[in-house]
Amino acid sequence: MSLLKMTLAELQAFLRSDMPHMAEDFRVERSDQAGLCLRLRVSARHLRPGATVSGPAMFGLADVAMYLAILARIGPVALAVTTNCSMDFMRKPRAGCDLLAEARILKLGRRLAVGDVLLYCEGQGEAVARAGLTYSIPPVG
């Protein structure tokens, strides 16, 4: 396993500097060799009719969680980009609770990273969604 190249504080600072328009929505809860846990601070703007978290908000959480999990391993490479995402919405997330994303990297190569993310309502045991993501990592130099 590779060593982590960014600390929890560095990941949160990267969010603030490189994604200031969304940084306040997210908080990195954990980052270690097993993966990364990211919190979405759910607010009214993340909800859709029916008092549930919207699909785009859940996709954003999964995408940012995987991005940060990769950066924790390779360092602050702002141009690593999502090339594929498949998402399964399994349960209706409760309104009024934050969502937690548990991201883990399955393969980290020089050009591609593949991982999965499980999304949970805080305090619930069963996942509300699952995403499989592939990222393209730009060449060094």
Side-chain angles (χ1 to χ4, degrees):
M1 289 293 239
S2 62
L3 297 174
L4 296 179
K5 294 192 176 175
M6 293 181 76
T7 66
L8 207 72
E10 290 169 333
L11 290 166
Q12 199 66 47
F14 180 87
L15 267 177
R16 284 191 303 274
S17 67
D18 286 45
M19 298 185 199
H21 57 288
M22 64 171 59
E24 293 305 313
D25 287 348
F26 300 109
R27 184 174 75 217
V28 182
E29 299 282 314
R30 176 185 52 77
S31 177
D32 55 31
Q33 289 300 326
L36 181 133
C37 180
L38 184 67
R39 173 184 299 270
L40 172 64
R41 297 176 180 121
V42 175
S43 67
R45 67 189 185 91
H46 298 115
L47 303 180
R48 68 167 182 79
T52 187
V53 179
S54 71
M58 288 191 280
F59 173 85
L61 173 60
D63 195 37
V64 173
M66 183 54 60
Y67 181 54
L68 293 177
I70 293 166
L71 295 188
R73 296 276 186 88
I74 67 173
V77 180
L79 295 178
V81 295
T82 309
T83 59
N84 187 56
C85 179
S86 173
M87 193 147 186
D88 299 307
F89 300 97
M90 301 181 294
R91 292 173 184 81
K92 179 180 174 180
R94 284 192 335 247
C97 75
D98 287 351
L99 290 184
L100 299 171
E102 287 287 341
R104 67 183 177 138
I105 296 172
L106 303 174
K107 179 187 184 293
L108 180 60
R110 289 180 305 170
R111 299 280 190 154
L112 289 178
V114 178
D116 63 14
V117 180
L118 291 173
L119 302 183
Y120 298 90
C121 277
E122 185 174 36
Q124 286 185 312
E126 294 182 313
V128 297
R130 183 204 65 84
L133 295 106
T134 302
Y135 264 76
S136 176
I137 300 169
V140 178

